[in-house]
Amino acid sequence: IFNLQALEHVNARLLELYPDDEERFDIVLMTNNHAQVGVRLINSINHYGLTIERFCMTGGESPIGYLTAYLTNLYLSADSEKVQEAIEAGIASATMFTANKDVAYSDTQLRVAFDGDAVIFSDESEQIVKEQGLDRFFEHEQLNENKPLAQGPLKGFLEDLGKLQKKFYAKNERLNCPIRTYLVTARSAASSGARVLKTLRSWGLEIDEALFLAGAPKGPLLVKIRPHIFFDDQMFHVEGAQKLGTIAAHVPYGVAQKYHKST
């Protein structure tokens, strides 16, 4: 359900530029199937021409315990319980949902879109929205504009993407970088956007494009971006993106999960 061709293109470009450097995407297929199904998995991967060399087949046991051993930067699964277990273990993780429409994705540029609060950043501000309302939220963000937000569960993954981007920039390949990142947030730029941008700057992180939607639906903008994956902590936005053809991933973190479970 994820476009691996774009990842493999990034790896191929990195190999050309840095033939002696092994800092590239490393894909591990994790399954709780028994080892006997390994041949079938290998045949399927070869059939689709994918380069996946690491397998972890746990024979019915949860693979979560192996994530740390594999130095996992991001864990994706269709199993929401395993994803929740990984999040609680401090590993960047999300539940994958396939798109409801077929959309053509770039094979030569990996595009990754992130929500902000409770994804890149902590849910500190989202808690105020849920518990005290939007007016109090706007006031809080303006008062704390120069105080960086705490990090959220996918901050490290954005940082990893940034490190790979800088390897291209160092070779004067900024304009041809095969990785592009997007912040797609329901925040308003005028009333609460400054704190987000200042937080990224304080972390030394760049985001290629920032879209502040001021509460407008995210799905139509994602159709324009065509990201290979979009991360959000609220199923409402995940489902809206999915309906319009975006592969979306739910990050089960923060106060929004409490409200989602109670409805």
Side-chain angles (χ1 to χ4, degrees):
I1 60 177
F2 186 70
N3 189 308
L4 296 182
Q5 282 82 7
L7 291 179
E8 293 182 348
H9 178 75
V10 174
N11 280 351
R13 290 278 308 278
L14 285 168
L15 187 61
E16 289 175 5
L17 296 174
Y18 299 93
D20 299 322
D21 188 342
E22 295 185 358
E23 190 176 24
R24 296 187 288 274
F25 285 109
D26 185 15
I27 303 163
V28 180
L29 177 62
M30 289 194 163
T31 173
N32 59 4
N33 283 320
H34 289 266
Q36 288 87 337
V37 304
V39 172
R40 184 179 179 187
L41 289 173
I42 291 169
N43 288 339
S44 295
I45 286 169
N46 289 337
H47 172 76
Y48 289 106
L50 303 175
T51 305
I52 302 178
E53 298 181 348
R54 295 179 189 250
F55 279 28
C56 179
M57 293 172 280
T58 64
E61 296 296 320
S62 171
I64 301 303
Y66 291 96
L67 294 176
T68 302
Y70 275 102
L71 303 177
T72 304
N73 301 86
L74 176 68
Y75 173 66
L76 300 174
S77 174
D79 188 328
S80 60
E81 291 185 4
K82 288 190 178 68
V83 167
Q84 183 67 60
E85 189 180 344
I87 284 281
E88 291 171 1
I91 296 166
S93 185
T95 308
M96 296 284 288
F97 292 88
T98 54
N100 291 352
K101 296 180 179 180
D102 289 332
V103 174
Y105 297 98
S106 172
D107 288 336
T108 58
Q109 185 179 61
L110 175 67
R111 299 173 186 170
V112 184
F114 299 87
D115 178 33
D117 295 298
V119 176
I120 297 175
F121 313 111
S122 75
D123 68 335
E124 165 201 330
S125 299
E126 204 160 83
Q127 288 183 41
I128 294 173
V129 174
K130 299 292 187 185
E131 296 168 4
Q132 301 180 42
L134 273 176
D135 289 342
R136 180 69 185 95
F137 163 74
F138 292 142
E139 179 185 345
H140 177 269
E141 293 306 283
Q142 288 169 354
L143 286 172
N144 292 278
E145 179 180 316
N146 295 314
K147 178 185 176 183
L149 289 153
Q151 70 178 49
L154 264 63
K155 182 254 189 178
F157 181 58
L158 174 61
E159 195 169 31
D160 294 330
L161 292 176
K163 288 177 182 177
L164 293 180
Q165 286 180 307
K166 286 176 181 177
K167 295 174 80 70
F168 290 99
Y169 302 165
K171 297 287 188 178
N172 296 317
E173 292 285 325
R174 180 179 283 270
L175 295 179
N176 296 310
C177 182
I179 301 172
R180 194 162 184 83
T181 56
Y182 303 81
L183 172 67
V184 183
T185 173
R187 283 177 178 252
S188 162
S191 57
S192 60
R195 191 179 185 197
V196 163
L197 297 177
K198 288 183 178 182
T199 296
L200 290 171
R201 187 189 305 159
S202 75
W203 290 345
L205 291 182
E206 295 182 27
I207 199 99
D208 291 306
E209 298 189 30
L211 292 86
F212 293 90
L213 303 187
K218 298 181 181 181
L221 270 295
L222 293 167
V223 170
K224 174 65 176 175
I225 295 170
R226 294 192 179 184
H228 294 88
I229 189 167
F230 165 62
F231 296 99
D232 203 292
D233 67 305
Q234 299 194 58
M235 281 302 301
F236 171 80
H237 292 303
V238 169
E239 290 164 356
Q242 185 186 12
K243 286 176 184 176
L244 294 180
T246 297
I247 295 173
H250 178 241
V251 181
Y253 175 84
V255 68
Q257 312 319 306
K258 168 185 165 184
Y259 284 82
H260 174 67
K261 290 175 182 176
S262 65
T263 57

